[in-house]
Structure formats: C-alpha cells, structure tokens
C-alpha cells in the first residue's frame, strides 16, 4: 500500500468518530457563549498590541465554535482567523448559524472565507505536508480550547509537532485541558490531560521557551468542570 493510501486510511480512522457524532448531533462540547478564557485573556495575553500589530490566530479542530464569530466581529480589521476541522458538516453548520459573517464557499475548494475568517476542511494532522505550505509558520496564536483533549492520547506527540509547524517564531498557545479526577480516568473524548502530561509534551521542546499554568483569584471555582473533572489553562510561549 502506498504512503498516500496509508495517510488516507489514517485520516478516515481519525475522523470516523467525529463524523458519527455530527451525524447524530452528539455535539454537547459546544458552548453557546464565548469561552471565558478568550474574554479573560484577549487584551492581556492573546492580543495586547493588536491595535498596532494585526494578528493571525488558529482554531484547530474548531467545529462550529462561536469563539471564531466573536473574534471575527470584534476584530474585523485587526485579526485574521483560521478554523480547521475534518468534518464538513461542522463548518457548514457554522456558516449557517453565523450567516451575518457572509462566508462564501470557494470554487473547487474545501474552504469558506470572508475578509478575515477562513474555514478549512482538513485533517489537522495532514497540515505538515507541502500542499499546506501556505499555512506553515504563519500563526501568531493557537487557541486550543478542546483539541488536545479530543484526540487519542497516542496522537498527542504528532499534534504538538503540527502546532510547531504552523506557529510563527515567538508564537503562543492558549491551551485548555481537562483532567479526570474520579471515575474512569481513561475514558474519552474528552481525554484526561494532567499537568504532567502538558509539561512532558511542551516544556522540553527545543522551540518552546516557557509553559505557564495560568492562575487568578477565581481559579478554584472556575477550574471545576464537574465533580469528576477539573479544567486548567496554560500559556505556552514559543521561541
């Protein structure tokens, strides 16, 4: 079997679960409001100098997240946003629900675009390949709200390397993970990601300058997702 055939088979295996969830509308991970991490950190960490320096932000495994619509509307002149998802239904749903953004399907393409937002239907793990070269090292920020926790733990190392390929030098990642603290800690998705997992994945990368666990006065209350899970936010600064 050729490498191309192997890649197509791997892609099919990775996305099969998510195609099924969208077909059956089992998409409870989507929030109806903008994620609190964006509102909390957009001015202090994500885009502190956005009025003078336009930014480019990536949403991996984006689904139909309203976070993209919020940023595309608020920063229409200062921000370029790209959302990537392997399930066309997820992106088509976003386009319908956010009709005011006037996203248009590109002819003979798997993309929807307007002036500052692009939706790309693609297996995220394929984006290191040469045919995605126009995306390589072009992003200032990656917002990982529910991506690392969504993929199989066996794919985490590969996922981190895709992020590396897409980030600019001095790029940044706002990472949000959950850790299961009761029940079946191996269940998922979402899969449990511990503090040790985050540090092992990122802190020893030669392209990572620092990994910071974000803290604030409301951390204890904010970070309790349920009786079985806690959530943590990380700020990853690249060299």
């Amino acid at each position: 079997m050729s490498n191309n055939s192997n890649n197509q088979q791997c892609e099919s295996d990775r996305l099969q679960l998510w195609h099924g969830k969208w077909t059956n509308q089992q998409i409870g991970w989507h929030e109806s409001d903008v994620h609190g991490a964006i509102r909390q950190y957009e001015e202090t960490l994500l885009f502190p100098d956005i009025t003078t320096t336009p930014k480019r932000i990536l949403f991996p495994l984006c689904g139909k997240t309203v976070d993209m619509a919020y940023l595309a509307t608020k920063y229409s002149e200062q921000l370029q946003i790209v959302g990537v998802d392997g399930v066309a239904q997820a992106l088509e749903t976003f386009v319908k629900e956010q009709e005011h953004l006037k996203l248009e399907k590109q002819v003979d393409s798997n993309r929807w675009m307007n002036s500052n937002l692009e939706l790309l239907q693609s297996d995220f793990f394929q984006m290191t390949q040469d045919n995605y070269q126009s995306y390589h090292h072009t992003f200032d920020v990656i917002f990982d709200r529910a991506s690392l926790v969504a993929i199989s733990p066996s794919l985490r190392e590969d996922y981190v390397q895709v992020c590396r390929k897409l980030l600019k030098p001095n790029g940044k990642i706002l990472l949000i993970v959950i850790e299961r603290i009761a029940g079946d800690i191996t269940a998922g998705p979402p899969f449990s990601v511990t503090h040790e997992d985050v540090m092992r994945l990122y802190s020893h990368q030669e392209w990572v300058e620092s990994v910071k666990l974000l803290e604030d006065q409301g951390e204890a209350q904010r970070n309790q997702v349920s009786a079985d899970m806690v959530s943590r936010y990380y700020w990853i600064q690249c060299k």
Side-chain angles (χ1 to χ4, degrees):
M1 184 179 291
S2 68
N3 288 336
N4 187 53
S5 297
N6 284 329
N7 289 337
Q8 290 176 347
Q9 181 62 44
C10 290
E11 177 180 356
S12 176
D13 292 343
R14 282 193 292 266
L15 297 177
Q16 184 176 7
L17 170 68
W18 301 104
H19 280 294
K21 286 185 178 295
W22 275 96
T23 298
N24 297 314
Q25 286 299 287
Q26 298 172 336
I27 54 173
W29 65 88
H30 276 296
E31 298 180 1
S32 59
D33 197 7
V34 178
H35 197 284
I38 287 184
R39 294 192 188 275
Q40 183 171 357
Y41 296 114
E42 62 181 297
E43 295 182 2
T44 58
L45 287 179
L46 289 170
F47 321 118
D49 56 349
I50 197 167
T51 56
T52 57
T53 309
K55 301 293 184 183
R56 188 165 159 87
I57 183 171
L58 173 67
F59 286 78
L61 284 61
C62 63
K64 63 166 189 170
T65 177
V66 298
D67 300 335
M68 296 188 295
Y70 167 77
L71 292 177
T73 302
K74 182 172 182 177
Y75 300 104
S76 59
E77 300 296 326
Q78 303 97 341
L79 200 58
Q80 291 292 319
I81 302 156
V82 177
V84 179
D85 202 284
V87 181
Q89 185 178 350
L91 304 179
E92 291 166 351
T93 302
F94 178 91
V95 171
K96 291 177 183 177
E97 291 184 354
Q98 308 296 337
E99 188 176 5
H100 65 284
L101 294 175
K102 296 181 170 55
L103 288 153
E104 296 185 359
K105 181 71 182 292
Q106 304 303 293
V107 178
D108 298 326
S109 174
N110 56 346
R111 298 183 300 159
W112 293 257
M113 297 182 68
N114 67 12
S115 61
N116 75 321
L117 174 59
E118 174 185 349
L119 303 178
L120 172 66
Q121 183 195 351
S122 173
D123 178 0
F124 186 70
F125 291 90
Q126 300 293 321
M127 293 191 70
T128 57
Q129 297 181 3
D130 289 345
N131 52 318
Y132 292 98
Q133 192 169 7
S134 61
Y135 297 92
H136 294 172
H137 306 299
T138 64
F139 293 97
D140 300 282
V141 179
I142 292 178
F143 180 52
D144 182 342
R145 180 230 152 190
S147 303
L148 185 63
V149 299
I151 62 173
S152 168
S154 65
L155 294 172
R156 288 174 183 172
E157 297 280 358
D158 291 339
Y159 174 86
V160 169
Q161 295 309 314
V162 178
C163 290
R164 176 194 185 184
K165 190 76 171 180
L166 299 174
L167 279 168
K168 289 180 178 179
N170 200 40
K172 301 162 180 66
I173 303 171
L174 179 55
L175 170 66
I176 300 173
V177 300
I178 64 99
E179 178 182 356
R180 295 180 182 272
I181 57 175
D184 183 1
I185 62 173
T186 65
F191 293 99
S192 182
V193 178
T194 67
H195 176 73
E196 291 74 21
D197 290 333
V198 173
M199 300 307 290
R200 177 181 55 80
L201 285 167
Y202 286 100
S203 65
H204 301 299
Q205 300 288 343
E206 54 87 17
W207 51 277
V208 171
E209 181 174 293
S210 61
V211 180
K212 180 181 179 182
L213 174 61
L214 297 174
E215 298 180 353
D216 60 45
Q217 293 179 346
E219 181 184 5
Q221 181 178 0
R222 179 200 69 197
N223 279 353
Q224 191 69 39
V225 177
S226 72
D228 297 333
M229 302 180 192
V230 293
S231 175
R232 296 189 182 94
Y233 302 173
Y234 292 87
W235 184 245
I236 300 170
Q237 173 67 58
C238 303
K239 295 177 181 178

